[in-house]
Amino acid sequence: MKRSLLLLIILVFGFNQICAQLARRDSLEYQIKKQRSEQGFSPKDSTFISLLNNLGSELRYYKTDSLLALSQEAYKLSVDIGNGHTMGESLVGIGNFYSDKGDYDQAIKNYQKALNATKQLENKHLTLTILNSIAGAYDFKGDYAEALSGYLECIEIATQIDNLTMLSIVNENIANLYAAQKDFNQAIEFFKTVKKINKKIGNEIYAAETMSNMASVYADMGNLEYAMFNINSSITTFEKHKKMDWLAYAYEIKGKTYLKEKDYKWALFWYKQSEMIHKNLEDDRGETSLLNGLSEAYFGKEKDSLSEQYALRAYDISKKIKFHEETQRSSFILYKLKKNKGDFDSALAYHEIYQTLNDTLSANKNEKNLTMLVTKLEYERQKESLMAENAKALASQKRYIYAALFILVIFLIVTLIVRRNEKIQKRLNTELYDKTAELVKNEKELRDINETKDKLFSIIGHDLRGPIAAFQGLLKLYRGGEIDGKEFLQFIPKLGADIDHISFTLNNLLSWGRTQMNGSVTKPGIVSLESLVNENINLLDETAKVKSINIVNKLTTKTLTWSDNDQIDIVIRNLMSNAIKFTPEKGLITIDAIERSSNWEVSVRDTGVGIDIETQKKIFNKNSNVTTYGTNDEKGTGLGLSLCKEMVEKNNGKIWVESFMENGSCFYFTLPKVNNKFQKAG
């Protein structure tokens, strides 16, 4: 009875809140409509453009497409009148749209354009908003070091202009950043700083937002009393001021707190209140966390069917917006659900996804924790160094004043000292210049070594540990008696594919490692491309048959090149493997060659999904880490094409690609022909 009454109150209250937010939107829409109807109206008016930007901001979590459309319209009008302020605001709106959709690179691109558009205005308040948005996008993207650096720059500017609101926002963003790294103690320290700033501001909504985030951290720490106190206080404020997006978040955190207590009944109740509000929101990031919470609560109540429905929705949305932490969370729930149902194939697949994400996130978090610490220490060091230099400069000015008085008495002595100091300074500057040049050279060499090391460990950690961990997990299930021999044999094809993937990855990795360490020597000789292609067709035949892909070799016996047999074998194998990976079932792969005056132009053409223009620009880069799942979720290292480029160029050839989305790709490379001179040498 009490629960029904409480639900009725919340339903009525939620309806009133939605109506209030609609009234605010209606007010902005009315003002826009009114201005349009006025005689002599011109859309090229800064007040009208600001109304468009404000309405877009209001619709951000309700109608995201309207946010984009209004921001784009405002931007076009701003460009026409050359108004940098409204141009910057509209670009921030466009950036917010892409950030909410998980396209963080596009978001950062628009935020940077906003920064450039407002550069001449000297409006530090708007600049702060843009810099905070850029740092936030890096935060969501997972580049925590860049995010922290941006937030620290914001704090510096906000302190200079005494902008308490932005100081509160930025410090809270840093707190959330540490919370994402599970450094809860450091997060709470920043939240305490935020609470002090909020007290000076005197805005109870800001205070409630901070308390909501603190409640989430306290729940993760297991300090459930503090979590419940903070979330109850914030809910009261959000209900009072009708902050629907934050109220949805607060209800979710209250559900999360009950979930930590294993009180699944009340956890579901509060999650459902949040879900009801989310029906009127368009906030994929917040919805993903909510759906996983609902799934875990239903799992706790042993309602596996409902739990699976919510987990699958969370999995799909989190993958779409690249929210890896929530993808990992939902894949682990799905693993447990599939295991309970006896669907071991699906369970193993989800466990492998969970394990791969866990390894990646753990590695990234360890690396990012160190990077964040180094970045912060470097920032503090530079700040202290600058303060020390300023102090020295002030002391120096005082000394110059005293010296000026002293010069009147002993001008000749001072002149001799100054000349002597000039000679010493010149010598020191020369030494400093030489040492700086040497440091720059050493830094470049160290950066190259670190890049090679980072890529090596990334490939080993991401592409090798996942399949091996899955194999180990299966063996553990078999040894523990959770699956019998017959069930174990059902996994053999999947394990065979994983072993093939490991073997292929290791071959590429060893070849790439030799090239990076200058240990790969090119030994040219007469190579029959037709034979190499046939050998690789035989090698990859089983993989192609799985997808019913037909491979056609149009090369003839006269296709002879002067090149290194082993290196060109690696090139052909990688290109054919990629073609199989990105070609759907019943596709066609054709290998052909055209004879030119001094070389053979070889082509590997597929009927696959194609490659977009941006990816084509960087897939051959040495430091590129472009890796994509194939049409059947096949994995790759992101290493093969850069390795192909190195191998082809070592053999005096070139490599390039032509591709259109949904129309397949064609990779070309050239190799020297065998002429009479080479044949005699052979």
Side-chain angles (χ1 to χ4, degrees), residues 85-100:
H85 184 88
T86 56
M87 198 184 302
E89 288 180 335
S90 57
L91 284 166
V92 168
I94 295 171
N96 288 340
F97 169 83
Y98 284 112
S99 177
D100 293 343

Side-chain angles (χ1 to χ4, degrees), residues 227-265:
M228 195 63 77
F229 170 78
N230 279 276
I231 203 60
N232 285 336
S233 300
S234 65
I235 286 174
T236 302
T237 302
F238 295 144
E239 289 176 342
K240 173 183 174 184
H241 292 277
K242 303 176 176 60
K243 293 285 290 181
M244 296 305 296
D245 47 350
W246 276 96
L247 186 60
Y249 174 71
Y251 284 163
E252 180 203 336
I253 299 304
K254 189 162 184 176
K256 174 182 176 180
T257 306
Y258 277 115
L259 186 66
K260 294 286 184 179
E261 292 178 344
K262 297 186 178 179
D263 187 345
Y264 303 119
K265 174 184 174 182

Side-chain angles (χ1 to χ4, degrees), residues 403 405-417:
L405 296 173
F406 189 70
I407 286 171
L408 296 174
V409 181
I410 50 172
F411 178 79
L412 180 61
I413 297 174
V414 173
T415 302
L416 293 173
I417 292 173

Side-chain angles (χ1 to χ4, degrees), residues 567-568 570-576 578 599-604 611 616-622 639-658 666-672:
Q567 292 178 351
I568 303 309
I570 290 170
V571 173
I572 291 172
R573 188 177 311 134
N574 270 280
L575 294 180
M576 289 178 62
N578 277 354
N599 57 43
W600 286 99
E601 182 180 298
V602 186
S603 63
V604 180
I611 308 170
Q616 289 182 43
K617 293 178 181 177
K618 57 188 178 184
I619 54 177
F620 293 112
N621 291 350
K622 177 181 178 183
L639 175 65
L641 290 176
S642 62
L643 181 61
C644 287
K645 184 174 185 292
E646 290 181 22
M647 295 300 187
V648 169
E649 289 178 351
K650 280 176 176 286
N651 286 275
N652 300 314
K654 296 180 181 178
I655 187 168
W656 69 97
V657 65
E658 293 178 1
C666 186
F667 285 81
Y668 298 87
F669 63 94
T670 62
L671 291 171

Side-chain angles (χ1 to χ4, degrees), residues 470-526:
F471 189 30
Q472 289 177 328
L474 184 61
L475 288 176
K476 186 177 179 181
L477 290 173
Y478 178 72
R479 289 172 181 165
E482 293 188 42
I483 61 174
D484 56 25
K486 183 177 180 181
E487 290 174 326
F488 180 85
L489 290 175
Q490 292 175 1
F491 290 108
I492 294 300
K494 172 72 172 61
L495 294 174
D498 284 349
I499 296 300
D500 289 342
H501 169 69
I502 292 171
S503 175
F504 187 84
T505 301
L506 282 174
N507 285 335
N508 272 355
L509 196 60
L510 292 171
S511 299
W512 174 77
R514 284 196 295 269
T515 64
Q516 298 303 303
M517 302 304 177
N518 298 319
S520 176
V521 179
T522 301
K523 298 177 180 178
I526 298 175

Side-chain angles (χ1 to χ4, degrees), residues 428-441:
L428 290 174
N429 285 339
T430 302
E431 292 178 2
L432 180 61
Y433 178 84
D434 293 338
K435 289 180 179 179
T436 301
E438 185 177 355
L439 281 172
V440 169
K441 179 183 176 184

